[in-house]
Amino acid sequence: MLSDLPFHPVIANWFSDNGRHTLILAPTGSGKTLAAFLWCLDDLFRRGLQQPPKAFGRNAEGIHTLYVSPLKALNNDIHRNLQQPLHGIQEAGRASGLTPPAIRALVRTGDTPAGERQAMLRRPPHLLITTPESLYLLLTSRAGRELFRGLRYLIVDEIHAVSSNKRGVHLSLSLERLMPLCTAEPVRIGLSATQRPLERIAAFLGGQVFRPGEDRSRSWIAASARKWTCR
């Protein structure tokens, strides 16, 4: 638990309770993607230790973390920010006498072979890395939609690249289609080195939020009424 870390209890509790939608603004290469993945991996690692290995491997809850990037060249970034840390965490777990859970991550893009796509539907990964277009295609099938029932975290990387164009409109619609499929609303995490202004980016990532009796013709920037943490 975070409360076991050498922090003052007040600070440890703040970390534990701060599961809010978040925008991370930091220079390129500073560790934004790693920071987002580590939070999600920590949650997965804890869950995996509490379940029998076979049950965790079957992953009946479906995708835990969805990472969406507008870039197709994902392999190098994912290797550095996900696969290497995941391998290191598993090695550290074994060195501590634990049996680390087998956390599985898959990449799905337009280049993914059909056989791998079908296998993913039968045995969903814990973490899915994809593009806006591939997410849209997943949401068009019943089997694809079922993957997201237990989704807990949604990471949108390079959010500045899609927040002001047609591709971003397409993505925002997919995210709003995604929300009703989830048992509980996942935490949304936006990443970019150049996002400006933060309030508008937060509104884009957060989606529309309407209070009872509110005029729905108002601007979609009503989403800024959500509680956000900008870093």
Side-chain angles (χ1 to χ4, degrees):
M1 297 295 291
L2 283 171
S3 57
D4 297 330
L5 295 175
F7 289 113
H8 187 280
V10 171
I11 299 174
N13 288 338
W14 179 83
F15 270 105
S16 298
D17 296 339
N18 195 29
R20 298 178 178 179
H21 304 311
T22 302
L23 285 174
I24 300 179
L25 171 64
T28 299
S30 59
K32 299 182 298 297
T33 306
L34 177 60
F37 274 133
L38 277 179
W39 181 268
C40 304
L41 286 174
D42 177 76
D43 188 62
L44 263 174
F45 192 83
R46 296 174 191 271
R47 289 170 177 269
L49 290 177
Q50 295 171 356
Q51 298 180 30
K54 287 186 178 180
F56 186 77
R58 287 195 300 269
N59 192 23
E61 296 181 354
I63 294 167
H64 173 278
T65 300
L66 173 63
Y67 172 91
V68 182
S69 172
L71 307 176
K72 276 197 172 183
L74 296 172
N75 289 339
N76 290 336
D77 192 49
I78 295 305
H79 178 70
R80 181 177 66 253
N81 292 306
L82 178 58
Q83 297 293 359
Q84 285 185 345
L86 184 54
H87 177 74
I89 290 168
Q90 291 173 332
E91 289 294 318
R94 283 188 282 269
S96 299
L98 299 173
T99 301
I103 297 173
R104 291 180 294 107
L106 290 178
V107 176
R108 188 192 193 282
T109 68
D111 299 326
T112 303
E116 292 183 17
R117 299 182 192 183
Q118 292 300 315
M120 184 189 73
L121 297 177
R122 294 190 297 269
R123 187 172 180 239
H126 300 97
L127 299 100
L128 176 64
I129 296 92
T130 191
T131 61
E133 292 75 17
S134 289
L135 174 60
Y136 168 81
L137 291 176
L138 270 174
L139 294 175
T140 60
S141 71
R142 178 177 297 179
R145 292 191 294 270
E146 287 296 323
L147 293 174
F148 299 106
R149 297 294 179 189
L151 186 68
R152 293 181 60 83
Y153 295 100
L154 165 65
I155 303 170
V156 181
D157 206 351
E158 301 294 337
I159 193 169
H160 73 280
V162 295
S163 59
S164 61
N165 54 39
K166 292 181 179 179
R167 200 176 182 198
V169 172
H170 191 264
L171 174 61
S172 66
L173 290 173
S174 291
L175 297 185
E176 293 311 307
R177 291 179 62 199
L178 178 63
M179 291 305 108
L181 303 177
C182 305
T183 303
E185 182 177 5
V187 174
R188 306 188 192 195
I189 304 171
L191 310 175
S192 179
T194 58
Q195 51 190 317
R196 290 289 191 280
L198 288 179
E199 293 78 9
R200 294 295 297 271
I201 301 296
F204 170 79
L205 182 62
Q208 284 193 330
V209 178
F210 293 105
R211 297 171 180 168
E214 185 175 18
D215 181 5
R216 292 186 174 238
S217 65
R218 291 178 58 191
S219 168
W220 69 309
I221 300 178
S224 62
R226 288 178 181 264
K227 291 183 177 179
W228 283 87
T229 299
C230 298
R231 300 186 182 281

